[in-house]
Amino acid sequence: MAERPVALTPPPGGYAEWLAELKTRIHTAQQRATLAVNRELVLLYWQIGRDILQRQEREGWGAKVIERLAHDLRVAFPEMKGFSPRNMKYMRAFAQAWPEAEFVQQAAALLPWGHNLVLLDRLPGPKTRRWYAAQALEHNWSRNVLVMHIENRLLERSGAAVTNFEARLPAPQSDLARESLKDPYRFDFLGLSEEAHERDIETALVRHVTEFLLELGAGFAFVGRQVLLNVGGDEFFIDLLFYHLKLRCYVVIELKAGAFKPEHLGQLGFYLTAVDRQVKDERDNPTIGLLLCKSKNKVVAEYALGDRGQPMGIAEYRLLESLPAELQTSLPSIEQIESELGDL
């Protein structure tokens, strides 16, 4: 029976705010319920996998027991889709990868099962798996974003840029600033050849700003391109300006299509001074500069940064850096992974 429409009268004062608060509470409760269900499911899978491991080791049961168990559990619980032989083998591998219950409860069980399978399939050992699991939790990555960061070797590139942050920023901020920068940055999504000019790269980055923000990492917010600065009546333009929400500071990014030269830092330093005096709020931290160049001599970069009083970093970028053909063919596509995980 259809619900009769209710004749609405004007709401009393404060009703809209109260309704908004209730909606927020309901959404939060729904999210907590979903997370609780996911946590219990992942813990159950780990316990089943651990039991399989222990019984195979203690009783000498062979691999066939997994197929028998999968069949019997599907008969007993026909409404549950997670008891395929393939997923049971993943449970065993999951328990084998994480033998300590404490880590599973505190980290792995907070990630969806599909995320855990990506960590198992695509990463070689516990150290890298722990790092990517922590990043996925902290930044709320989807499975596709997790796959992308693994394929792009985010761990190896994070915190690798040459900087002077340790000497120019207080310890907590310098650590976060250093970890926020990579080397090299990968701009494969631009589809540009190595011969592209600075303005070509800059225009393409703005056109693909969503992908660019993913490559920059969590915390970056786009402010503008070719941002005008008027200094003493002369006009200057910053290539790209961002704001980092965690560092609470502006980040000036300058692009150079060629190799790094020490004089590039003079221009970057000028922009940092101008932004600090004209743009940043008194509550903001000092502006950080990032110079992106096609190549750099690491020793020259370290020397050039040595006497700079402003926080700066130097990193390379890669326009086209495809995987070798033989490796590409051995890796499943995101669509294949989603299709397989959907069958679990």
Side-chain angles (χ1 to χ4, degrees), residues 206-281:
V206 175
R207 189 167 62 246
H208 298 84
V209 69
T210 300
E211 292 89 342
F212 187 29
L213 287 171
L214 280 174
E215 175 60 14
L216 286 176
F220 283 90
F222 180 61
V223 177
R225 169 203 177 198
Q226 288 297 302
V227 177
L228 171 64
L229 295 172
N230 189 308
V231 180
D234 291 341
E235 293 184 345
F236 301 89
F237 296 89
I238 295 174
D239 286 347
L240 296 162
L241 183 62
F242 290 81
Y243 190 85
H244 199 286
L245 302 176
K246 291 184 179 180
L247 292 168
R248 299 197 63 81
C249 69
Y250 285 96
V251 180
V252 173
I253 295 182
E254 281 294 299
L255 290 164
K256 298 299 176 186
F260 167 73
K261 297 179 181 179
E263 53 263 34
H264 292 157
L265 296 185
Q267 180 187 27
L268 181 59
F270 173 78
Y271 290 154
L272 297 187
T273 299
V275 171
D276 278 341
R277 294 184 182 180
Q278 297 185 12
V279 181
K280 96 174 185 72
D281 187 89

Side-chain angles (χ1 to χ4, degrees), residues 46 117 174 205 264 308 344:
W46 179 79
L117 298 192
S174 67
L205 287 175
H264 292 157
R308 291 286 169 180
L344 298 181

Side-chain angles (χ1 to χ4, degrees), residues 7-201:
L8 297 177
T9 57
Y15 176 83
E17 293 79 4
W18 179 56
L19 177 61
E21 181 184 343
L22 285 180
K23 289 179 179 179
T24 300
R25 283 191 213 165
I26 292 170
H27 286 312
T28 302
Q30 289 174 328
Q31 291 170 351
R32 286 176 178 170
T34 300
L35 290 173
V37 170
N38 173 80
R39 182 176 184 276
E40 292 302 318
L41 181 66
V42 173
L43 286 175
L44 172 64
Y45 285 174
W46 179 79
Q47 291 164 358
I48 292 174
R50 180 195 57 186
D51 287 353
I52 293 172
L53 275 174
Q54 290 177 346
R55 290 183 180 274
Q56 284 181 328
E57 293 173 358
R58 186 172 64 241
E59 309 292 342
W61 292 355
K64 289 291 185 181
V65 71
I66 293 179
E67 293 184 8
R68 174 66 179 269
L69 181 62
H71 172 269
D72 290 341
L73 288 178
R74 280 185 292 180
V75 170
F77 303 97
E79 72 283 358
M80 294 187 69
K81 298 181 179 180
F83 294 136
S84 67
R86 180 173 177 273
N87 203 37
M88 301 289 286
K89 292 175 183 177
Y90 268 123
M91 294 178 201
R92 184 187 185 281
F94 182 57
Q96 194 169 32
W98 305 118
E100 63 276 19
E102 183 178 357
F103 176 79
V104 176
Q105 293 170 348
Q106 294 180 356
L110 300 180
L111 290 170
W113 182 237
H115 284 58
N116 280 296
L117 298 192
V118 169
L119 296 175
L120 283 175
D121 281 340
R122 291 182 171 262
L123 296 171
K127 184 177 180 180
T128 53
R129 287 172 183 159
R130 284 177 183 273
W131 190 87
Y132 280 101
Q135 295 296 310
L137 284 172
E138 180 180 355
H139 305 304
N140 197 29
W141 287 345
S142 70
R143 190 168 66 228
N144 287 354
V145 172
L146 173 61
V147 170
M148 181 196 73
H149 285 314
I150 291 173
E151 289 180 344
N152 289 341
R153 299 180 175 91
L154 178 63
L155 173 58
E156 292 89 336
R157 295 185 294 128
S158 293
V162 179
T163 74
N164 62 2
F165 294 160
E166 186 173 357
R168 300 295 176 256
L169 296 173
Q173 192 186 11
S174 67
D175 291 341
L176 179 55
R178 185 171 57 251
E179 288 303 313
S180 297
L181 301 189
K182 306 170 189 173
D183 189 28
Y185 284 85
R186 295 180 57 140
F187 297 158
D188 298 46
F189 54 85
L190 298 182
L192 297 176
S193 69
E194 290 290 349
E195 288 72 36
H197 297 292
E198 292 168 20
R199 290 296 167 262
D200 297 331
I201 301 169

Side-chain angles (χ1 to χ4, degrees), residues 298-311:
K298 186 176 180 181
V299 176
V300 173
E302 290 174 346
Y303 273 51
L305 286 170
D307 61 352
R308 291 286 169 180
Q310 298 160 300

